[in-house]
Each structure stands twice: as structure tokens, then as C-alpha cells.
Amino acid sequence: MYNWTNINLTYVYDGSFEGYLTTVFHIFETKQIPMYIKNENANIPFTCPIFHIETDTSKSYRVFQGILKISELTLYYTNNVFLSGFEDKETLLLKYLIDAFKYGAKVNHMLALDEVLKVQKINRNVTLEIQRLKGFIRFAEIIPDIFFAEIEPDNNITEILCEHFKRRFPTQNFIIQDRKRSLIGIYNKHEISIKENSSLDITHLSQNELHYQDMWKEFFKTITISERKNSRLQKQYMPKRYWKYIFETT
């Protein structure tokens, strides 16, 4: 279908999904596969020259529509892997998309292809973390009618979590901060905005929040049956790495 040429270049894009899809467009247009594809904020290898890809929304939209035409599942996998913390996700996704455009929707059943199997494994990791954090996030009122939560996820899922809580609490102002990525999601009862390279240091909670936290901790302590305590099972269902921001465990 394509006569690919491998070239000794590193393609660098702006880190956005649109920027990555623009890069994919350029690769399919030129039929040249670079040595590396890197986010401009990532560690960029100096083993080969750098070529910067400028984001073009019209090109990225064409790729987006092309993936969607293959199947919604293919687009879902592509988006989730892009949001993952997998180090070489751009190159993996390129291999997957080359397969997808070649074989169509059946590609997702072709687990003998290493890149397809890896994409599905990473997708499971991302979706599991999303499901966990939907339950493990703890919002705290910092001032009346503004709630704040902190997370340190393996994957870049703040916007997805904001969309979830927007649907769940449409009349509530809230902020979700991803400390690992210096990223903040803000919902103001109308829309969500994502702020990159930002951080908030919250040192005080509202009096109502302190009161409710004390009551919740007391309830949590009261219902605990010490003789039936099973720390191993607790960590299995609520991994310890999430405990940092769950106040009933502190």
C-alpha cells in the first residue's frame, strides 16, 4: 500500500493531539518514517537531526476523520494511548495506525501484531486508572462553593476526569490538579479549561470542609472492625500510591 522510507530524523511536535496527528499526516504524505517522534517537552535524542512539525488543524482533522472512518474503537485506542505515560507512545501509535489504515477495523483483532497487542495493553492501563480515580478522587472545599482535588496519575487523564465530574456535578465549581504534570483542570459551572505549566499550593480549607473531614474520619474509624482488618486486600482494591490524597487514610 505504501513504499515507506526510513530517514535519520527526529520529528518534534508541540505535544498536543492535533500536533501529533499533523505529524502522522506529514509521514503518510511523504512516506518517510523518522527515527524518532518526540513531544517538544520530552527528552529529545541528539543522535539525529531535528525536524519541527508545525500543528495544522486542517491536516490533523483529516487524520482524525480517517481514523474514525476505520472505527470508533480505533480512534478510542489512539486517543487513550496518546494520553498514556508510555515513553515511546508516538512511535508505537504510528506503527498501529499504519496497520489500521492497511487492514481496516479488523486490525484490533490482529493480536499477533506486536504493536496492536501493546496498544490494547496500554489502553487497559489508562482505562483502569480512569475508573480508579473516578472513585478515589477526594474533593475538598477550599472556599465556599469551590472544591479542589489533587492527583498524580501515571497517565494524562485530567481532562477526562474533569468531563466525568462535570456530568456528575454540573452546578459545582471545582479544580483538579495533576501535580505530576503541573497541569490544572478548572470547571466553572459552564465549561472546562486546562492550564498547563501551572500549580496551586492550597494550605487552608474552609471550616465546613474541616468539620466534614473530621466527621468522615470518625465514621471511617467507627465502622472499621480491627479483627477483620486486611491490609493486603485493602491495597489490592485501593493501591497505596493513591493514599496520599485520600484524607481518610491519613
Side-chain angles (χ1 to χ4, degrees):
M1 185 177 180
Y2 291 97
N3 295 316
W4 298 104
T5 302
N6 293 307
I7 56 173
N8 187 36
L9 281 177
T10 297
Y11 284 178
V12 178
Y13 70 104
D14 64 5
S16 68
F17 191 48
E18 292 78 10
Y20 179 70
L21 294 185
T22 303
T23 305
V24 172
F25 182 97
H26 179 81
I27 291 169
F28 273 80
E29 184 179 49
T30 61
K31 301 179 180 61
Q32 295 178 333
I33 299 178
M35 187 72 69
Y36 304 100
I37 306 171
K38 293 293 182 182
N39 178 335
E40 65 184 7
N41 298 314
N43 293 323
I44 300 174
F46 294 99
T47 54
C48 54
I50 291 173
F51 181 80
H52 288 275
I53 302 290
E54 296 295 329
T55 299
D56 185 319
T57 54
S58 63
K59 292 179 179 179
S60 67
Y61 181 74
R62 285 175 63 182
V63 177
F64 181 93
Q65 289 297 317
I67 300 170
L68 182 60
K69 189 176 180 179
I70 294 169
S71 72
E72 290 185 5
L73 181 61
T74 302
L75 181 60
Y76 178 74
Y77 284 163
T78 301
N79 184 66
N80 277 0
V81 173
F82 183 79
L83 294 175
S84 76
F86 183 67
E87 185 175 356
D88 200 21
K89 62 189 178 184
E90 290 92 350
T91 301
L92 173 64
L93 271 179
L94 176 63
K95 293 178 181 178
Y96 170 67
L97 290 174
I98 288 173
D99 291 337
F101 281 109
K102 180 178 181 180
Y103 297 113
K106 65 182 180 181
V107 70
N108 296 308
H109 300 289
M110 302 174 70
L111 300 184
L113 296 174
D114 185 57
E115 54 270 22
V116 176
L117 184 61
K118 284 182 179 177
V119 160
Q120 295 197 18
K121 286 182 177 178
I122 293 169
N123 173 69
R124 284 194 292 272
N125 174 270
V126 173
T127 54
L128 176 60
E129 184 166 59
I130 291 169
Q131 291 304 316
R132 281 177 168 170
L133 283 175
K134 283 179 181 179
F136 293 159
I137 278 185
R138 296 294 184 266
F139 286 98
E141 188 181 59
I142 50 178
I143 58 176
D145 198 35
I146 296 182
F147 293 80
F148 177 76
E150 291 186 284
I151 55 175
E152 291 183 24
D154 291 335
N155 306 295
N156 187 8
I157 56 177
T158 300
E159 188 167 2
I160 291 176
L161 292 171
C162 285
E163 291 288 351
H164 167 75
F165 287 107
K166 173 186 174 181
R167 291 190 297 271
R168 190 172 177 187
F169 306 119
T171 60
Q172 180 173 296
N173 297 302
F174 64 76
I175 301 167
I176 299 177
Q177 175 165 251
D178 180 346
R179 280 206 170 273
K180 191 172 184 178
R181 294 169 182 79
S182 299
L183 186 149
I184 296 174
I186 302 170
Y187 175 60
N188 62 2
K189 298 184 182 180
H190 300 288
E191 60 184 5
I192 294 168
S193 59
I194 303 295
K195 307 294 184 184
E196 298 181 349
N197 302 314
S198 301
S199 63
L200 292 172
D201 290 315
I202 304 299
T203 56
H204 298 287
L205 302 176
S206 72
Q207 288 301 311
N208 279 340
E209 179 62 32
L210 293 172
H211 175 63
Y212 284 122
Q213 284 196 16
D214 285 342
M215 287 197 300
W216 177 248
K217 288 179 182 180
E218 187 62 32
F219 170 75
F220 191 72
K221 188 194 315 181
T222 301
I223 65 172
T224 299
I225 303 173
S226 56
E227 292 80 8
R228 299 184 65 181
K229 189 172 182 179
N230 187 335
S231 298
R232 183 177 177 182
L233 185 64
Q234 184 183 33
K235 290 173 185 176
Q236 179 181 336
Y237 285 102
M238 189 169 66
K240 197 167 184 178
R241 64 194 181 93
Y242 296 121
W243 290 13
K244 183 177 180 180
Y245 299 116
I246 300 177
F247 52 76
E248 62 263 36
T249 61
T250 59

